[in-house]
Amino acid sequence: MRRKYAKAIAAALIMTMVSGCGNAASPRQDAGDARGQDASGMGVGGAAAGADETGGAAAGSQASGDLDGDGQTGDGGKPAPLENDEPEVYEEETLYTQKENILPIAESAAAWGISYKIEKAEYTESFGDRNLEHLENYLSEARTDSQGNLSGDYKYLFLTITFTNTTDEFQDINRNAGGIIVIGDSLNTLLWSNDVVYYDTYWEEGGAYQFHHWGLEPGESVTSEVGWVIEGCDSMTEREGDALAERIGSAGPYELYYQVKKYDGDNEGSFFIDLGVKVE
């Protein structure tokens, strides 16, 4: 779960991070003017060579290693060092949403002709009586016992979702299309987890690597339970440092949302369904 965060300079937030997870303000409160932040980089500097009005003489002296223009190289003909030889660094653009795009769990949302309705949300360390053969945990940090139960600062988020094809054409959907999101005080969004590790039922008509898909005829629906691994607030804070609270505006706990995503890398047309659970 690698992320880059736009840096802020709030000293009070840094002090909050020292004490671990605190009380988070709800993004439903007035957020003020949410403004996007452009990606920025640090350029590599270099000196531009000046032009000598005499032309030929200056060109001849520079071609022979005369960097001073007076017949002396000064440093043995070595080129002058760059003013800044650090590599260029780019920061990820901060994405925002609007209050009207944040929905309660009882409401459905649609994107690209597929409607998503959250029927149930379960936030737990226990794997329960689910099919262990369908558990694929790719996270080395998240440990499970022989029954699939998680330990440490990790929990499962199991969502029972009804997917409906609202178009008049066959749709091959991805049941892992939506991520689990945290929304900051300024209505900025942060991907908390896209680590889908469980599907209750595999799509048998798909290929070996399409078990997470499902084919829907026009108007057809399928209800499926999909499971994510959610990292706890404390371990995330320990790894990410002050940047997490600086971006979100608090040190947690954080409310979790299911994103019905229209585009990758852009919140335009996306909705965020409040799951009614918090990561602590």
Side-chain angles (χ1 to χ4, degrees):
M1 289 178 279
R2 296 181 179 175
R3 305 178 183 86
K4 300 178 182 177
Y5 303 106
K7 290 190 175 180
I9 53 172
L13 295 177
I14 296 176
M15 293 300 295
T16 304
M17 293 299 301
V18 176
S19 60
C21 296
N23 295 321
S26 170
R28 298 182 183 277
Q29 298 174 357
D30 292 337
D33 296 330
R35 296 181 293 274
Q37 178 175 334
D38 295 332
S40 60
M42 181 181 297
V44 177
D52 193 310
E53 293 180 357
T54 60
S61 64
Q62 290 185 3
S64 63
D66 180 3
L67 301 181
D68 298 331
D70 59 358
Q72 302 294 326
T73 60
D75 61 352
K78 297 179 180 179
L82 296 175
E83 294 179 2
N84 183 358
D85 59 357
E86 293 293 328
E88 294 187 6
V89 177
Y90 296 94
E91 294 182 351
E92 182 182 358
E93 182 181 9
T94 301
L95 301 179
Y96 294 85
T97 188
Q98 295 81 38
K99 285 186 177 181
E100 57 266 28
N101 291 343
I102 300 175
L103 307 177
I105 194 170
E107 293 190 21
S108 61
W112 299 115
I114 299 297
S115 173
Y116 301 78
K117 174 70 168 62
I118 306 296
E119 307 290 351
K120 179 183 178 182
E122 183 179 353
Y123 187 48
T124 176
E125 296 176 353
S126 173
F127 187 70
D129 59 356
R130 297 172 175 89
N131 188 348
L132 271 173
E133 294 182 357
H134 288 192
L135 175 62
E136 297 288 346
N137 187 359
Y138 303 105
L139 304 179
S140 60
E141 301 90 349
R143 305 294 183 182
T144 59
D145 62 18
S146 60
Q147 301 301 312
N149 303 313
L150 282 168
S151 60
D153 199 24
Y154 292 87
K155 288 186 177 181
Y156 292 113
L157 177 62
F158 293 109
L159 299 182
T160 302
I161 309 172
T162 296
F163 305 86
T164 303
N165 181 359
T166 62
T167 74
D168 57 1
E169 297 179 351
F170 176 85
Q171 292 268 38
D172 179 4
I173 68 170
N174 293 333
R175 286 178 287 168
N176 60 351
I180 307 303
I181 302 294
V182 166
I183 299 179
D185 293 347
S186 298
L187 297 184
N188 54 310
T189 64
L190 170 67
L191 176 64
W192 193 269
S193 177
N194 60 358
D195 301 309
V196 176
V197 297
Y198 176 78
Y199 302 94
D200 59 348
T201 305
Y202 289 170
W203 185 39
E204 296 181 355
E205 297 180 23
Y209 300 101
Q210 292 183 310
F211 59 88
H212 56 282
H213 291 228
W214 203 277
L216 294 175
E217 298 292 343
E220 185 181 8
S221 298
V222 63
T223 299
S224 179
E225 186 180 54
V226 184
W228 284 258
V229 167
I230 305 296
E231 184 173 4
C233 167
D234 287 340
S235 62
M236 184 77 80
T237 295
E238 181 179 353
R239 187 177 70 254
E240 300 294 347
D242 298 334
L244 179 61
E246 289 172 0
R247 180 168 183 178
I248 299 302
S250 68
Y254 302 118
E255 296 181 7
L256 297 180
Y257 300 81
Y258 176 77
Q259 182 180 12
V260 176
K261 185 165 54 177
K262 189 69 177 289
Y263 302 105
D264 285 329
D266 191 339
N267 281 345
E268 182 180 357
S270 292
F271 295 92
F272 300 86
I273 300 176
D274 189 345
L275 299 175
V277 299
K278 295 182 179 181
V279 57
E280 298 181 351

